[in-house]
Amino acid sequence: MKKTIMILVAAVTMLTSCHTAENSLSQDYDERPLNKQPVLERPAWPNYDLHNDRSFAAFSHIQTAPLDKVGTYLHHYVESGWTARCTLHRCKDATYLCLDYTIPQQQDWFFWRFTTGSAIIDADTGDRYLLQRVEHFPMDQCYWTYGQANETIRFVEVYPPLPLSVKRVQLYEASAESRRWMDGTGVLTKPIKIDDLRPHSLLKYKSHKRGRIIR
């Protein structure tokens, strides 16, 4: 009887340990975001020219942000109707930064550019984790998107994996050559807690004090 009880206790301890490890993993790492391949409607001209927007590539059917998982506000422009949000997916193999833009009805055609030298900066050490690529899109080259007015389209930037010691970050968009309606000035956010940027679906695993339930 005593031996049977000891075996049961060991089994419960093992299950509890596994459950704790699973929750810990859920706290530490996120699943990588979904990001479908867009449709290349028109390739860039061989003689692409920053100052000739007809030479830009054009894309449609870009990944949209799940309505229940849109990220933290970066900007909201009342006059133009633009809203920008971001979500950071901290994964073991890479860091995925989702940039979600709500497209106003009157600006369905819009051009974008993501620049080499952009980085996620550790706000406490100054270490820079440089942008490696933007999934499915070119770097350092303007391109059009269209056909998704009133939708929230998503660009997924890929960075090196962030150590678990990184708790606060600043998002840095590198400066680049300017053109009409694009001054090329770099942008640096204020320090932001990583847990405030991660997907809402995983934040439920964060430990917090539980009070009484009063009915």
Side-chain angles (χ1 to χ4, degrees), residues 190-209:
K190 294 180 179 179
I192 311 170
K193 291 181 180 179
I194 281 187
D195 280 346
D196 290 341
L197 293 175
R198 292 173 63 193
H200 298 308
S201 59
L202 285 179
L203 292 182
K204 65 184 179 182
Y205 291 108
K206 289 177 61 178
S207 59
H208 59 279
K209 186 178 294 185

Side-chain angles (χ1 to χ4, degrees), residues 4 13 34 49 57 61 68 70 80 86 100 111 123 126-127 136 151 158-159 162 176 184 188 190 204 206:
T4 302
T13 301
L34 295 175
D49 179 359
H61 297 84
D68 61 338
V70 292
S80 65
C86 76
D100 301 335
F111 62 80
D127 291 343
H136 310 315
E151 295 184 7
V158 184
Y159 295 83
L162 295 177
L188 178 66
K190 294 180 179 179
K204 65 184 179 182
K206 289 177 61 178

Side-chain angles (χ1 to χ4, degrees), residues 13-85:
T13 301
M14 183 179 295
L15 287 172
T16 302
S17 175
C18 291
H19 181 69
T20 302
E22 182 181 351
N23 280 349
S24 176
L25 182 63
S26 297
Q27 286 182 348
D28 292 340
Y29 296 107
D30 307 314
E31 293 183 1
R32 63 153 297 154
L34 295 175
N35 189 21
K36 70 178 183 180
Q37 180 82 38
V39 175
L40 175 61
E41 300 285 359
R42 185 184 72 205
W45 290 4
N47 56 340
Y48 163 86
D49 179 359
L50 173 63
H51 302 287
N52 180 3
D53 54 30
R54 293 183 179 181
S55 71
F56 300 173
F59 294 88
S60 67
H61 297 84
I62 295 96
Q63 175 71 49
T64 55
L67 294 179
D68 61 338
K69 295 181 181 179
V70 292
T72 302
Y73 276 108
L74 289 180
H75 305 288
H76 178 60
Y77 305 100
V78 177
E79 292 182 1
S80 65
W82 278 96
T83 300
R85 303 179 180 90

Side-chain angles (χ1 to χ4, degrees), residues 44 137 139 145-146 154 208:
F137 294 99
M139 291 275 290
T145 62
Y146 72 95
R154 167 167 288 184
H208 59 279

